Amino acid sequence: LDAILAHPDFASGDVSTGFLAEQADVLTAPGEDVSTLLMAAAALSDQRLVTDVMQIPEMHRKMGGWRN
């Protein structure tokens, strides 16, 4: 996250939805798996998902993952 925020293109707002994938080699340590980073970014950028999650009653959100 620090690397993303410090990136000059990100700071200037000159980015697209492909920014993380395009800059993965600059934003990660050598050999670091970026799939988790990309999945987190995708989930956080999906406003519908965030809205749906916020509709879950607080007591259930605090429990974490759903259980059977």
Side-chain angles (χ1 to χ4, degrees), residues 6-65:
H7 195 286
D9 289 346
F10 187 84
S12 72
D14 186 25
V15 295
S16 69
T17 55
F19 175 74
L20 294 177
E22 294 163 3
Q23 300 296 325
D25 57 327
V26 175
L27 300 174
T28 58
E32 184 177 1
D33 182 13
V34 296
S35 59
T36 302
L37 173 67
L38 295 174
M39 287 187 292
L44 292 172
S45 69
D46 185 345
Q47 184 59 44
R48 186 177 52 185
L49 174 64
V50 173
T51 301
D52 289 348
V53 167
M54 295 313 294
Q55 298 302 315
I56 299 170
E58 182 179 3
M59 129 179 162
H60 296 291
R61 281 196 316 259
K62 287 182 177 182
M63 284 187 222

